[in-house]
Amino acid sequence: MSSKIAVVGCTGAVGIELVKCCHARKSVFGDAPPDLYASARSAGKTLDTPYGPLTVVEFNVETLKAKAYDFIFLAVSGGFSLENAIPLTTNASGTPTYVIDNSSAYRYHDEVPLVVPEINFDSIAALDSKLIANPNCTTAIAAMALYPIHQEFKLKKLIVSTYQAASGAGEPGMQELLEGCKAHVNGDARPENKIFSHPLPFNCIPMIDKLQENGYTKEEMKVAWEMKKIFGTDDIKVSTTAVRIPTLRAHAEAITLETEKDISPQAVVDCLKGKPGVVVEDDPANNVFPLPLTCSGRDDVSVGRIRQSLIFDNKGIDLFVCGDQLLRGAALNAVLIAEAIVTKK
Amino acid sequence: MSSKIAVVGCTGAVGIELVKCCHARKSVFGDAPPDLYASARSAGKTLDTPYGPLTVVEFNVETLKAKAYDFIFLAVSGGFSLENAIPLTTNASGTPTYVIDNSSAYRYHDEVPLVVPEINFDSIAALDSKLIANPNCTTAIAAMALYPIHQEFKLKKLIVSTYQAASGAGEPGMQELLEGCKAHVNGDARPENKIFSHPLPFNCIPMIDKLQENGYTKEEMKVAWEMKKIFGTDDIKVSTTAVRIPTLRAHAEAITLETEKDISPQAVVDCLKGKPGVVVEDDPANNVFPLPLTCSGRDDVSVGRIRQSLIFDNKGIDLFVCGDQLLRGAALNAVLIAEAIVTKK
């Protein structure tokens, strides 16, 4: 049976990946392409997709409700989601429409599940919610590596420093980086910046998203808030420094963790082995470790540089993770939520 | 009175900065330019310097000993330093020659002082040594921000994640990054790499220097070994993840620290105020924080994003530092050691 799917915000970096991820799971969702929606500005455009050329339709909440979709993916602003996400969960025919929202609008609402399907898929049924929030990219990528460790060794503390790609600011962010690099190699030492607060080429910017009262940015606090909600615990202390670096679409993170139980690098390797969505690449003597370039376009999160902590000794580990920001950090995670709903119900 | 100075390894990225730093301190060292030495391959070349054009002479240990220099700066490999640094401390006339070595060859020798002049200049007299080791760049940059904090609040733990520039691999590293970026923006997604273990453009590489038995790299362990030696304590636990990013010449570091005494962001700002070689740039609401682009070519280390730790609470701080790798991380620190010897003796 085929699923009826809509992608709202289909022209953005995440929207484009959503369509590709659906196509890669035709065996689950069926051969029919998703319907593509965007703002009036993009309506009528034709997009090249793996399904062939598809035409963009202007978003209108009533149009979508009338279509009785099984799944609506929102790759839009938080404000747009706040206005439309809940109305879209009901439709004309009364069948369930799951709305999977990539914005942060509903992530911290107690009644809305925040889901990494490999970790807490059950929270959707537990909350009996048709609106499902997709996590922040940095959180989702780290969670793939950390949850198996948490299950076996119980996490107490997480110190995270991020190396985040331009794609976190969407297609315009990637374009600004590429054009800025072009200008820089042609002799302009401080190329123009509109998307980022400072020029990103040959720079790194230690501030992402808005400043909070405690001096951390919202991007940094998201990791703490969301990790706890996804893992279902308040007992982990999380501190993050979120830094934008001149990479295109894969985020990396240096993580120091403290556990309740004794832990070792070999125990981490053993514990991650065979876990879905995560792969250990840890042979530094042969220059094998997670890299943004090799993780770009790949579904799995890569984990490497696994070593005993010099701070927390036998109860601590340092490691490095890397994952595609547009895939596990956004589109793939959302589509895997839908896949789990289709295959498990 | 004028100091007689030699720069060995004058054609490299650090060598070039050494000459500039000496020129900037003509009031201390006098108007005469340093003598420039390099390998046979560069001998006879003329370098453009702030003193005007200077000719490179082939290095020969006896030539230098005959010249009775006051200061010899070594910007050469560890192997070269091991062979030549000690012989160079004695000269024909019997006057003292201070050899200031930028390599890691002698940094961990108990009888050789490892010096950041603002912190432990006294260790030169205490060890009565004419050979002085210049610290690793990552260590020297962090130390400028951390030592005043250590003095007032006593550091217990340091967790450091680095964002290191291509200049750490010298001029060839910077060239490879620039040429790789040019190739990348012209369509080559994986430009050639010889200096770095993987292509650096649009990538980050979480491994710098050789792997040690404990799973950390030598670059990561240097921060631990050198911070303790410079601060004169074994009581600080230090863990580092050293990552190369596509920046040109300033290193950045995200640091989480735990202290013995209660500490606050304001107390850190107060404690760093007026300290030599360090400046607080911490107004994130107005996009003011340390940046590699603004720290390049600047003597002072910049500190920002100062916030109360979410891990160590009232006894912890998160902060971000940035400094020019070729200046405080190498040439400037070495020249400031010589300046302190001239002005304090």
Side-chain angles (χ1 to χ4, degrees), chain A residues 47-103:
Chain A
L47 298 187
D48 282 326
T49 81
Y51 296 95
L54 295 176
T55 302
V56 180
V57 175
E58 183 175 353
F59 174 83
N60 174 295
V61 70
E62 295 310 323
T63 311
L64 273 83
K65 287 166 85 75
K67 294 262 193 168
Y69 288 108
D70 297 306
F71 298 104
I72 299 174
F73 295 108
L74 299 182
V76 291
S77 71
F80 184 99
S81 289
L82 272 181
E83 194 178 331
N84 297 293
I86 291 174
L88 288 172
T89 59
T90 55
N91 65 52
S93 69
T95 59
T97 295
Y98 287 94
V99 175
I100 303 170
D101 178 20
N102 195 52
S103 85

Side-chain angles (χ1 to χ4, degrees), chain B residues 55-135:
Chain B
T55 303
V56 180
V57 174
E58 183 176 352
F59 175 82
N60 174 293
V61 70
E62 296 311 322
T63 311
L64 274 82
K65 286 165 86 74
K67 294 261 194 171
Y69 288 109
D70 297 306
F71 298 103
I72 299 175
F73 294 108
L74 298 182
V76 292
S77 70
F80 184 100
S81 289
L82 272 182
E83 196 180 328
N84 297 294
I86 292 176
L88 288 172
T89 57
T90 55
N91 66 52
S93 70
T95 59
T97 295
Y98 287 94
V99 175
I100 302 171
D101 178 20
N102 196 51
S103 84
S104 65
Y106 285 100
R107 285 183 195 152
Y108 316 119
H109 285 230
D110 286 342
E111 68 280 13
V112 177
L114 175 68
V115 177
V116 173
E118 292 86 344
I119 298 175
N120 65 335
F121 176 74
D122 293 347
S123 64
I124 300 172
L127 290 170
D128 190 23
S129 176
K130 297 288 171 284
L131 172 57
I132 301 162
N134 205 40

Side-chain angles (χ1 to χ4, degrees), chain A residues 306-327:
Chain A
I306 303 166
R307 53 218 199 275
Q308 198 82 53
S309 168
L310 302 176
I311 298 290
F312 299 118
D313 305 318
N314 289 337
K315 294 193 157 51
I317 289 286
D318 278 15
L319 50 77
F320 197 76
V321 303
C322 191
D324 190 301
Q325 187 269 329
L326 296 171
L327 292 175

Side-chain angles (χ1 to χ4, degrees), chain B residues 220-239:
Chain B
E220 290 164 349
M221 294 313 301
K222 281 173 183 173
V223 182
W225 298 332
E226 297 183 20
M227 202 72 80
K228 291 176 196 182
K229 182 165 175 175
I230 295 166
F231 287 9
T233 175
D234 279 325
D235 297 340
I236 309 175
K237 287 185 168 188
V238 183
S239 189

Side-chain angles (χ1 to χ4, degrees), chain B residues 255-269:
Chain B
I255 301 175
T256 295
L257 59 90
E258 186 191 26
T259 49
E260 205 163 282
K261 299 186 192 163
D262 278 6
I263 190 167
S264 71
Q266 188 57 50
V268 171
V269 172

